[in-house]
Amino acid sequence: MTSAREQLRSLVRSGDAFERPAAETRETRLEAAREAFAAHRERVPLLRTRAEETGVREITGLDDLVPLLFSHTSYKSYPLSLITGGRWDRLLRWYTTVSAVEPGDVDVEGVADIDEWTDRVTAAGHRPYITSGTSGKVSFLNCDTADLRFLHDILENLTCWPDPLPPEPTRRGYLLAPASGPMRSVDGFRWHAEVFARPGETRLLTEEPLRVSELMRSALLRRRMAEGTATPQEISSFETASEAREAELGAAVDRIVDDIAAHRDEPMLIAGMNNQQYALIEALRARGVPDGGLHPDTLVLSGGGNKGRALPDDYQQQLAAFYAGVRRVRSYGMTELQGSCLACEQGNYHVPPWVIPLVLDEPGEKLLNPEQGVVEGRFAFLDVSLEGRWGGLISGDRVLVDFSPCACGRSGPVVLPDIRRYGDLGGEDKITCAATLDSYVRGMIHG
């Protein structure tokens, strides 16, 4: 008998992932939540501890999920000293506390740095996706091989939904990304190129892999510079290295810009984060490429935050103007989510069927989901598709979610386009359960 979780995952290939009646999907989601909780309670120590502390033994309704949700900070709750001190066994112990990974799965003997530790985890069949780490610490989000296959299925079957593209390699590819690295965007861009770009015709920003150690070292030094604790020598060395790196990347972007300008009458795949995309269109405009001047079968992938670069308030409108007439992936998502909430013809982001949306109050304590209508609050969810980790998470996003049928004619719920970070709205972004979860983790690492 097919499980509820398998039924929801299978909708990716069926072509009707967002077409089912809300009531039908609601019941399947709840059963899938029961299955996911039963499976992960046995495999993820932090979830098991949380369930015991809160007294949740089974999922009878959505309210039962709220005390089981992890904070978005849970996946970077490790002490930084484990990395700076080379305590790779302890870091693995932390990882196996928040993930469905057994300590014996990964050999960390002789690991030299965080990049080699990440490679060892990957070699053992567990992909530790990281976030950008602008605070100095990255999140490590475990995916197993089934999760990676499902992500690939999503991009192959749902890219450009509601009018998905056929998986045909007919484009010239441009990836504003490194050759490799444990980021979901890096893997996603590469997979898109494998599906939609002509073999041998994809250009990268750099052939060098993304290094977690460099990402963290740079973020930590920026933080120390902001705090006034960095030494003059550290600052000088950082600025020299940054200037050299900027020059190298600038030359790479120039080559890509020249190539796009020369081949703009061909269908292309152009993939990059929002700040990179904005820099790209500025350079293309300077080369004389007009708004709407690319081939209509061009596929554009963009997203993510500004990643440290201040962009104009209307940057999204500028991207839309320049890429007018091409195929663009429009979505709301995050590394913690399998796939994304995809935009319909009305511009609303439809929650995929394998994700249970949970709108909470700002502290993350109370479920606000209505039967119908719009509710404002903190976006949380349970992604029942995940195998490599528990998919219940409280994000840092303030959202408006409409649980009524969408104006496009499809069932809800949908996330409306006005999405903000609580940290950007003034004050601190505090989630009530975060300190408790961090305390659990510290006890498990050192216990």
Side-chain angles (χ1 to χ4, degrees):
M1 181 178 179
T2 304
S3 72
R5 297 171 73 198
E6 290 169 340
Q7 290 177 43
L8 294 174
R9 283 190 290 253
S10 70
L11 293 174
V12 169
R13 290 184 174 275
S14 71
D16 62 349
F18 296 94
E19 309 298 331
R20 301 175 84 200
E24 180 181 337
T25 303
R26 191 181 304 119
E27 290 303 313
T28 309
R29 278 173 169 158
L30 186 58
E31 180 57 32
R34 296 187 185 102
E35 294 172 359
F37 175 60
H40 286 294
R41 180 180 53 197
E42 303 305 315
R43 302 179 66 203
V44 181
L46 181 58
L47 176 63
R48 182 166 61 248
T49 300
R50 186 66 172 164
E52 291 170 356
E53 290 284 336
T54 58
V56 178
R57 298 288 180 265
E58 61 179 332
I59 307 301
T60 59
L62 298 187
D63 283 295
D64 293 327
L65 293 173
V66 176
L68 301 175
L69 300 175
F70 294 178
S71 163
H72 62 90
T73 62
S74 297
Y75 292 102
K76 54 182 174 183
S77 59
Y78 53 88
L80 194 59
S81 60
L82 299 185
I83 295 176
T84 58
R87 299 297 306 276
W88 310 119
D89 55 341
R90 288 284 184 174
L91 186 63
L92 179 62
R93 186 168 180 177
W94 166 81
Y95 194 59
T96 61
T97 297
V98 298
S99 310
V101 179
E102 294 295 328
D105 289 353
V106 184
D107 177 15
V108 295
E109 184 69 29
V111 165
D113 59 19
I114 186 59
D115 293 288
E116 188 173 349
W117 182 89
T118 304
D119 289 343
R120 294 283 187 92
V121 176
T122 301
H126 307 285
R127 185 64 162 160
Y129 281 142
I130 67 166
T131 57
S132 59
T134 51
S135 66
K137 292 175 76 175
V138 299
S139 297
F140 290 97
L141 296 142
N142 190 60
C143 292
D144 70 8
T145 53
D147 297 328
L148 299 182
R149 284 196 302 270
F150 186 57
L151 276 172
H152 198 281
D153 281 350
I154 291 169
L155 73 86
E156 188 170 321
N157 292 278
L158 292 178
T159 292
C160 285
W161 180 90
D163 184 19
L165 283 173
E168 298 172 351
T170 57
R171 295 164 179 80
R172 193 175 182 87
Y174 304 92
L175 307 186
L176 305 178
S180 61
M183 267 191 168
R184 199 184 78 171
S185 59
V186 173
D187 275 355
F189 291 164
R190 188 181 74 253
W191 292 339
H192 273 92
E194 291 172 0
V195 173
F196 296 107
R198 295 190 290 264
E201 292 194 29
T202 296
R203 287 136 196 87
L204 298 169
L205 190 60
T206 173
E207 294 291 341
E208 296 295 318
L210 177 126
R211 293 187 61 81
V212 183
S213 54
E214 292 178 4
L215 192 70
M216 295 184 71
R217 186 162 52 245
S218 176
L220 282 170
L221 185 55
R222 284 194 180 95
R223 190 171 75 181
R224 290 181 57 215
M225 289 166 63
E227 294 169 348
T229 59
T231 67
Q233 183 178 358
E234 286 175 325
I235 294 172
S236 176
S237 297
F238 174 76
E239 290 176 344
T240 299
S242 294
E243 288 171 3
R245 185 64 172 161
E246 286 296 322
E248 180 184 334
L249 292 179
V253 170
D254 286 343
R255 289 192 293 271
I256 286 176
V257 168
D258 289 340
D259 205 75
I260 291 176
H263 296 274
R264 70 186 197 190
D265 292 331
E266 299 179 33
M268 303 176 185
L269 164 67
I270 303 175
M273 307 308 286
N274 285 330
N275 57 334
Q276 298 169 315
Q277 290 280 6
Y278 185 76
L280 182 72
I281 69 168
E282 282 188 311
L284 286 168
R285 283 168 170 164
R287 299 288 202 286
V289 180
D291 289 2
L294 301 183
H295 191 283
D297 284 337
T298 291
L299 169 61
V300 174
L301 311 173
S302 61
N306 296 350
K307 307 302 180 191
R309 175 180 174 178
L311 295 178
D313 292 339
D314 68 340
Y315 79 93
Q316 287 284 13
Q317 289 85 346
Q318 292 202 45
L319 290 178
F322 184 82
Y323 289 129
V326 308
R327 304 294 296 269
R328 290 184 69 201
V329 171
R330 297 181 302 147
S331 63
Y332 163 60
M334 57 196 74
T335 304
E336 295 88 344
L337 197 63
Q338 290 276 76
S340 298
C341 302
L342 300 178
C344 68
E345 300 88 344
Q346 299 295 317
N348 298 324
Y349 300 113
H350 285 251
V351 180
W354 55 89
V355 175
I356 300 174
L358 303 164
V359 184
L360 309 181
D361 61 358
E362 185 172 345
E365 298 177 313
K366 182 180 178 182
L367 183 66
L368 305 178
N369 287 24
E371 288 292 326
Q372 294 283 320
V374 177
V375 63
E376 175 182 333
R378 185 182 289 274
F379 188 63
F381 57 85
L382 173 62
D383 185 334
V384 300
S385 73
L386 282 161
E387 298 289 353
R389 66 182 186 274
W390 170 237
L393 190 96
I394 305 174
S395 81
D397 291 352
R398 190 230 64 182
V399 296
L400 298 166
V401 179
D402 192 348
F403 285 81
S404 301
C406 180
C408 72
R410 300 178 184 88
S411 298
V414 296
V415 180
L416 302 182
D418 183 16
I419 300 163
R420 308 285 182 87
R421 299 286 292 178
Y422 274 106
D424 296 335
L425 295 175
E428 294 186 66
D429 177 16
K430 289 188 175 180
I431 300 173
T432 300
C433 70
T436 301
L437 290 167
D438 287 356
S439 177
Y440 289 162
V441 172
R442 284 193 298 270
M444 291 176 181
I445 293 175
H446 301 294

